Amino acid sequence: MATATATLRKMFIDGKWCAADGGRTLEVINPANEEVLAEIAYGGRAETRRALEAAHKAMQSWMKLTSWDRGKIIKKIADIMRDKADAIARTLTLEQGKPLAEAKAEILHSADTFEWFAEEGKRAYGQVIPHGAPGKRHMTLKHPVGVVGAISPWNFPITLQARKIAPALAAGCTIVSKPASQTPLCLIQLFEFMAEAGVPVGVVNLVMGPAQEIADEFLENPICRKISFTGSTEVGKQLMKGCADQMKRVSLELGGHAPFIVFPDADPEVVAKAAVIGKFRNNGQVCIAPSRFYVHKDVHKKFTEVAVETAKNLKLGNGLEPGIEIGPMFEKKAMESTSVLIEDAKKTGAKVLTGGKRSDRFEKGYFFEPTVLSNLSAEAKIMTEEPFAPVMPLLDFSKLEDVIQQANKTRYGLAAYVFTNDLTVTWKMAEGLEAGIIGINEPVPAVPQCPFGGMKESGLGRELGHDGLEAYLETKYIALRLRE
Ligand code: NAP
């Protein structure tokens, strides 16, 4: 239980740290030892309404600053994040579970995202369009979309808010952020940094509370002009329907089920090691994590041996300890649903090559053994449901056309991975795969300057890159008639 002296971590509304109106609070749990880390203020609609109103008021002056002046403040956020990366990374590990080195990488990637958008805001170009009649002129201007409601999940609590806050601020929008209820603490620290960087009062606001209440206020309050959501496909669909009423803009970054395809010319030993890194990063709780491994028959045996050996030797433990490569899963429910998926796969004929259960080395904490499966049947749920778990299902193939067909047999289309040194194979795969992000010999593809997002039921729109800025801009067409 939280001690009576534990400091309450508060929401940030209109430049002030606030408790919930009714005094409601929620405990945040450390997944490595199941202890209470902190208590947070847990508000609802009324607090969200005030945050939207503050953001609306603040936008009148924020949007009038030049992109250069906004850029200076956004760049300062990046500088502070880098200076304080160790402290915020520690908080991230404590509340989310990922190893400290991964947590620090997340903070530095997010700082890069702020820096990149600080610059890209200066490139919100309109166009001058050639006229077709002598007395007419045509041009477009870019205009900030308005106040944004931003909702994110627990797996990358800083990165996924940075991908919304940084471009929104660069475009001249103001924002109300809602973190996942289980991982709000590092985002609270980011809000402290933003205040320190000189972000004006009301431009950024943080609300915490039941998701439905906050989302209802975002959807029904006309002040909120855009919802940017990262999370499950199911919630994304609900929000998209809700946005239709007031025709709110919506960006959706949703689930995935990425294929990882290894051709026979690739070195199976090197690729198996890369595959293990890509799969077990953050315990497989990554939207772009590879979920189905198609390995060519000629290299399947060697790949399997190395993948199993490497996965077996990954160091599992509390992410704060040195040398740990995999932390706990983020909650008990996630561990239980992983066991259910594995048991289902076994019933349909799958073999467990390593792992397969909760680790018995720990008395407390949600530690699950890195798992490798073979002999998967198409009926196994793990072949179609997003696993979000440390489980690596191995399959084989012999023909390029067949593997493209298998890879695309999913409602998702977020990421795909191909390992080959053959240029023709590379090109055919890049053209044939239905995925918004394709890593060729690259297991970790996300960078701030390139578009990130999915096809099919993996989402709508793109974050990062210039597209990530456009998502916060409207295009105004200006038609000018000259005097005779
Ligand atoms: P989730 O249940 O959809 O939750 C994500 C966020 O939405 C949380 O802040 C949650 O709040 C909130 N939420 C829950 N129910 C809601 C509702 N009815 N209306 C509005 N907001 C609601 O997702 P999750 O299972 O925690 O997260 C994992 C999912 O996110 C996976 O599918 C993963 O692939 C996806 N993801 C996608 C990307 C990408 O960039 N494409 C990146 C990371 C993760 P509470 O925490 O308060 O419940």
Side-chain angles (χ1 to χ4, degrees):
M1 290 295 295
T3 62
T5 52
T7 321
L8 178 70
R9 308 307 314 272
K10 296 181 177 165
M11 294 177 281
F12 190 66
I13 299 171
D14 205 11
K16 294 180 205 72
W17 294 99
C18 329
D21 292 354
R24 184 162 52 168
T25 62
L26 186 79
E27 290 175 340
V28 179
I29 308 291
N30 179 344
N33 57 20
E34 301 174 47
E35 283 172 12
V36 176
L37 274 174
E39 265 187 305
I40 56 163
Y42 208 54
R45 278 196 83 143
E47 294 84 347
T48 307
R49 191 173 314 125
R50 284 206 297 281
L52 288 170
E53 284 161 3
H56 183 58
K57 191 161 135 240
M59 195 170 147
Q60 308 320 312
S61 44
W62 180 250
M63 67 184 278
K64 289 192 185 118
L65 290 182
T66 66
S67 54
W68 288 71
D69 285 340
R70 286 197 296 267
K72 280 179 204 147
I73 297 174
I74 301 168
K75 168 73 168 51
K76 186 97 189 283
I77 301 170
D79 294 340
I80 298 173
M81 287 179 86
R82 289 181 185 125
D83 283 352
K84 300 189 177 168
D86 287 329
I88 188 170
R90 194 182 147 77
T91 308
L92 176 46
T93 295
L94 281 170
E95 66 179 336
Q96 200 272 344
K98 67 181 68 173
L100 203 49
E102 272 185 46
K104 188 151 176 200
E106 173 170 348
I107 304 306
L108 296 178
H109 171 82
S110 307
D112 290 349
T113 299
F114 275 99
E115 177 165 344
W116 196 79
F117 280 108
E119 290 301 321
E120 195 62 6
K122 298 169 189 166
R123 287 177 273 280
Y125 302 136
Q127 278 186 315
V128 176
I129 299 157
H131 48 281
K136 292 189 175 197
R137 297 293 183 270
H138 313 283
M139 63 207 82
T140 59
L141 297 179
K142 293 292 176 178
H143 187 90
V145 80
V147 174
V148 178
I151 304 176
S152 57
W154 47 267
N155 61 338
F156 288 90
I158 292 291
T159 287
L160 300 175
Q161 280 288 338
R163 289 178 186 182
K164 303 177 188 319
I165 298 171
L169 297 190
C173 298
T174 55
I175 195 161
V176 178
S177 292
K178 181 229 170 290
S181 296
Q182 304 97 320
T183 55
L185 302 178
C186 52
L187 195 66
I188 293 174
Q189 272 175 296
L190 176 58
F191 271 73
E192 289 166 359
F193 299 169
M194 290 196 283
E196 187 184 334
V199 177
V201 166
V203 169
V204 291
N205 303 271
L206 173 70
V207 292
M208 300 179 290
Q212 193 69 58
E213 290 183 33
I214 294 173
D216 284 349
E217 187 61 28
F218 284 167
L219 289 170
E220 289 168 29
N221 191 328
I223 287 176
C224 179
R225 287 309 319 147
K226 175 180 172 105
I227 294 190
S228 178
F229 173 77
T230 303
S232 60
T233 294
E234 286 58 41
V235 173
K237 286 180 184 178
Q238 284 173 32
L239 289 171
M240 192 171 169
K241 284 183 194 147
C243 283
D245 250 6
Q246 295 176 9
M247 209 51 79
K248 286 182 204 276
R249 304 311 185 236
V250 60
S251 294
L252 300 170
E253 292 288 339
L254 309 175
H257 204 291
F260 186 107
I261 302 162
V262 186
F263 281 89
D265 65 304
D267 180 335
E269 205 169 327
V270 172
V271 180
K273 286 181 184 157
V276 168
I277 293 171
K279 173 69 245 183
F280 295 104
R281 183 166 71 104
N282 200 9
N283 254 313
Q285 304 168 126
V286 180
C287 56
I288 58 168
S291 297
R292 293 166 286 148
F293 292 77
Y294 297 97
V295 183
H296 193 276
K297 282 196 159 75
D298 294 353
V299 286
H300 190 266
K301 188 163 175 283
K302 185 73 193 167
F303 181 98
T304 304
E305 279 166 20
V306 177
V308 169
E309 201 49 31
T310 313
K312 207 186 268 178
N313 288 323
L314 287 170
K315 217 166 156 208
L316 183 66
N318 186 327
L320 287 184
E321 288 168 17
I324 290 302
E325 292 166 301
I326 306 203
M329 296 193 76
F330 103 105
E331 64 173 359
K332 193 164 177 226
K333 212 166 60 187
M335 215 174 42
E336 290 165 355
S337 61
T338 304
S339 296
V340 170
L341 273 184
I342 294 172
E343 289 313 309
D344 168 78
K346 278 160 67 180
K347 271 191 216 134
T348 53
K351 273 211 284 206
V352 177
L353 302 182
T354 185
K357 58 177 178 43
R358 180 180 191 163
S359 170
D360 47 24
R361 287 201 294 116
F362 304 87
E363 266 178 36
K364 292 258 171 172
Y366 311 133
F367 295 96
F368 203 92
E369 293 176 351
T371 299
V372 182
L373 302 179
S374 68
N375 288 45
L376 273 302
S377 123
E379 278 72 55
K381 289 200 177 102
I382 199 164
M383 295 303 294
T384 47
E385 285 179 18
E386 183 182 34
F388 238 58
V391 184
M392 184 178 204
L394 301 184
L395 301 118
D396 59 25
F397 76 97
S398 38
K399 280 208 198 127
L400 180 144
E401 293 70 25
D402 294 345
V403 81
I404 291 184
Q405 204 191 18
Q406 289 301 314
N408 289 341
K409 224 172 168 186
T410 163
R411 66 183 176 126
Y412 296 112
L414 186 56
Y417 302 89
V418 178
F419 285 75
T420 179
N421 296 306
D422 182 318
L423 190 56
T424 302
V425 172
T426 298
W427 201 243
K428 284 188 177 176
M429 296 304 288
E431 286 181 349
L433 289 169
E434 295 169 349
I437 302 157
I438 300 181
I440 312 271
N441 303 325
E442 171 56 272
V444 191
V447 289
Q449 67 273 29
C450 296
F452 186 103
M455 293 167 65
K456 293 153 82 177
E457 292 188 30
S458 285
L460 199 66
R462 294 291 180 270
E463 292 193 319
L464 302 180
H466 187 77
D467 301 39
L469 179 71
E470 281 290 332
Y472 294 88
L473 294 167
E474 296 277 9
T475 299
K476 281 182 179 169
Y477 161 49
I478 314 297
L480 175 68
R481 192 179 279 263
L482 303 180
R483 255 199 325 260
E484 297 268 311

